Amino acid sequence: MPARRIASLAIATAVFVSLACAGDGTGIDDGNDGDAPTFAADVQPIFSANCAFSGCHATSDIKPSGRPMDLSPGQAYASTVNVESFELVGMDRVEPGEPDESYLVHKIQGTQSDVGGSGGQMPLGGQLSAAEIETIRAWIAAGAVDN
C-alpha cells in the first residue's frame, strides 16, 4: 500500500476516533448531550420560582403522612423521580424517559383527569409557560438525570 494512502487512512481513523470519543472532557456520561435541559440549571429554577415556597411544596410544608413532594433545592429530585404519585397510585410523579407517563407533567399541563388523576392544575393560581412545561418534558424525555 502506498505511503500516501496509509497516511490518509491513519488521519481518517484518527478523526473518526476523536469524534466518536468526544465528550465534555470529564469522562463521565451525565446523560446530557448538550441540548437537553439539566435538572440544576433548568428544572430546579422552575420549581423554585413557582412551587417551592410556603403553602405549596416547600420543606416547611411537608406533612408526615402520604408521600411528601418537596420541590425545594436539594429535595426536589428525590421527591419526584421514580416516586409514586399520592393522587394517582400506579403512576410515578416523574418516570424517566416518559413525560406522558409522568404525573407531574399531567399536573402542570392540566391533563391529570385524562389519566385518572384528581385535583387542580399546578401551580395553583397560575400556569407555567409553554416553554417551562416543554423544559420539564424535555428533561424527563432525556432520562430525568440528576445533573
Side-chain angles (χ1 to χ4, degrees):
M1 189 179 280
R4 180 178 235 162
R5 188 167 176 184
I6 292 172
S8 295
L9 184 60
I11 291 170
T13 301
V15 169
F16 174 78
V17 169
S18 68
L19 290 174
C21 296
D24 62 6
T26 65
I28 299 170
D29 181 7
D30 64 2
N32 187 5
D33 63 6
D35 295 331
T38 66
F39 184 76
D42 302 300
V43 176
Q44 183 61 60
I46 295 170
F47 291 160
S48 294
N50 296 283
C51 316
F53 46 84
S54 182
C56 292
H57 296 285
T59 301
S60 60
D61 299 304
I62 302 305
K63 316 279 185 294
S65 62
R67 293 174 216 61
M69 188 155 91
D70 184 352
L71 298 179
S72 302
Q75 304 299 315
Y77 188 85
S79 187
T80 57
V81 178
N82 292 314
V83 175
E84 188 174 54
S85 165
F86 184 70
E87 287 183 0
L88 183 58
V89 176
M91 182 178 274
D92 285 347
R93 291 172 176 163
V94 170
E95 182 66 36
E98 301 288 339
D100 292 327
E101 299 300 319
S102 299
Y103 193 60
L104 182 137
V105 169
H106 289 287
K107 289 295 281 190
I108 64 176
Q109 292 179 157
T111 57
Q112 66 277 5
S113 62
D114 295 348
V115 294
S118 61
Q121 183 174 1
M122 292 288 143
L124 289 176
Q127 290 183 347
L128 298 181
S129 69
E132 290 170 320
I133 292 171
E134 184 52 37
T135 295
I136 293 169
R137 287 183 60 86
W139 168 71
I140 294 170
V145 178
D146 187 8
N147 55 1

